[in-house]
Amino acid sequence: MAAVDSFQLLYREIARSCHCYVEALALVGAVYTTSRAVVFARDCYSLIRLHFLPRLMHSGDLLHRFGEWAVILGASEDLAKAYAEELARKGVSIILISPDGQGVEGTAKAIADSHGVAALSVQADFSEGHAVCRPIRDVLKDKDIGFLITSMDVSLGSLEAFAGLPEDHLWDAVSRNVAAATLLVRIVLPGMAERGRGAVVNISSGLCCKPTPNKAAFTAITAYLDHFSRALHYEYRHRGVFVQSLIPFRIRSQEGGVSDKGGHSGGWLEPQPQVYARHAISTLGISHRTTGYWPHSLQVHQVMPLGREVWR
């Protein structure tokens, strides 16, 4: 009996001494739960503000906000074509730039016939050097360029060891993505800054912040375009130029395949290019770095260490 009383006394003493620690742990748990709830609410608000409210509200006249003409680099890509068609549907005239001159001529004619806007095509292969900038400048001269849209060539998106890539293929990839986007921004940006309006959209991939084996060149190019866009945004946002880094994940091609912009998923997470373009254009002027499509934003934390930034 004395042993039982001693145990109960010992238990009460231990419970009394630990009571303050229990209260402290309960307070820590409450603070943590509250902070997570606040973060979740903030993320939900950001997602709705960026991806849903702009589509429910009238976004305004794009021609008045940014300009009359859009320059589309990489016009042979399905996503670039869809973006051009969506801009044309809103009354923006289109200039398509691609190494495939004959292919984009047909696209330009189809856009002009379908949407009643002016549509031009320029054949320019940046792998041949910066001399191709001269005919582009001639076409853009005296035009109110309000949009520059650059879309990555996804030919490097397939899994392949870096050492196995042909040198001429690497040269073309770097020239047609890094050099082309950089030089075209250099051509159109002074006019945009002088007019105090314009939008530059560089479309790369959701893998820009995730170095991926067997996609070394692809992820490196996407990282360049992402950082280039973000730096330009901070440099020119006070001069009326909106620069956006658009980093989609997987998008279906016109042929029914998948454009490997990043990630591994399926179904509704892989939109058609036209669907993606409608969503992405609604984020113009709102977010300088975004996936452009709300289901892709749900995938961000799986790929990017700082995924919440793309919701802002």
Side-chain angles (χ1 to χ4, degrees), residues 73-88:
L73 174 65
S76 57
E77 296 291 328
D78 290 338
L79 183 51
K81 291 178 184 177
Y83 208 110
E85 290 176 358
E86 187 65 19
L87 286 174

Side-chain angles (χ1 to χ4, degrees), residues 77 151-160 162 165 169-170 173-174 177-178 203-226 248-250 259-263:
E77 296 291 328
S151 181
M152 267 196 67
D153 179 357
V154 298
S155 60
L156 283 175
S158 58
L159 290 172
E160 187 173 356
F162 182 78
L165 294 172
H169 184 47
L170 284 172
V174 173
N177 291 293
V178 175
I203 307 174
S204 56
S205 167
L207 292 179
C208 60
C209 290
K210 183 181 180 181
T212 305
N214 297 319
K215 286 189 177 184
F218 180 80
T219 54
I221 291 173
T222 61
Y224 171 82
L225 292 174
D226 179 47
F249 286 78
R250 292 165 71 90
S259 171
D260 194 359
K261 292 287 187 180

Side-chain angles (χ1 to χ4, degrees), residues 172-194:
D172 289 346
V174 173
S175 301
R176 293 176 180 177
N177 291 293
V178 175
T182 306
L183 290 173
L184 270 180
V185 170
R186 175 61 183 84
I187 290 173
V188 304
L189 197 57
M192 290 181 175
E194 182 179 351

Side-chain angles (χ1 to χ4, degrees), residues 57-208:
M57 301 170 61
H58 181 61
S59 59
D61 185 2
L62 291 181
L63 278 75
H64 182 265
R65 289 175 62 194
F66 298 108
E68 299 177 2
W69 287 84
V71 178
I72 312 293
L73 174 65
S76 57
E77 296 291 328
D78 290 338
L79 183 51
K81 291 178 184 177
Y83 208 110
E85 290 176 358
E86 187 65 19
L87 286 174
R89 191 174 68 84
K90 296 179 180 295
V92 180
S93 297
I94 304 297
I95 300 174
L96 303 176
I97 300 177
S98 173
D100 181 14
Q102 293 182 345
V104 295
E105 281 183 6
T107 303
K109 186 177 185 305
I111 289 175
D113 293 342
S114 300
H115 303 286
V117 298
L120 307 175
S121 63
V122 180
Q123 182 176 5
D125 189 349
F126 283 85
S127 65
E128 298 176 357
H130 71 278
V132 298
C133 293
R134 188 174 298 110
I136 294 176
R137 284 196 182 94
D138 293 339
V139 173
L140 303 188
K141 186 178 180 181
D142 299 327
K143 289 184 173 62
D144 179 14
I145 305 299
F147 305 85
L148 170 61
I149 315 299
T150 71
S151 181
M152 267 196 67
D153 179 357
V154 298
S155 60
L156 283 175
S158 58
L159 290 172
E160 187 173 356
F162 182 78
L165 294 172
E167 293 181 1
D168 57 347
H169 184 47
L170 284 172
W171 176 261
D172 289 346
V174 173
S175 301
R176 293 176 180 177
N177 291 293
V178 175
T182 306
L183 290 173
L184 270 180
V185 170
R186 175 61 183 84
I187 290 173
V188 304
L189 197 57
M192 290 181 175
E194 182 179 351
R195 290 187 295 271
R197 63 176 185 172
V200 176
V201 180
N202 292 318
I203 307 174
S204 56
S205 167
L207 292 179
C208 60

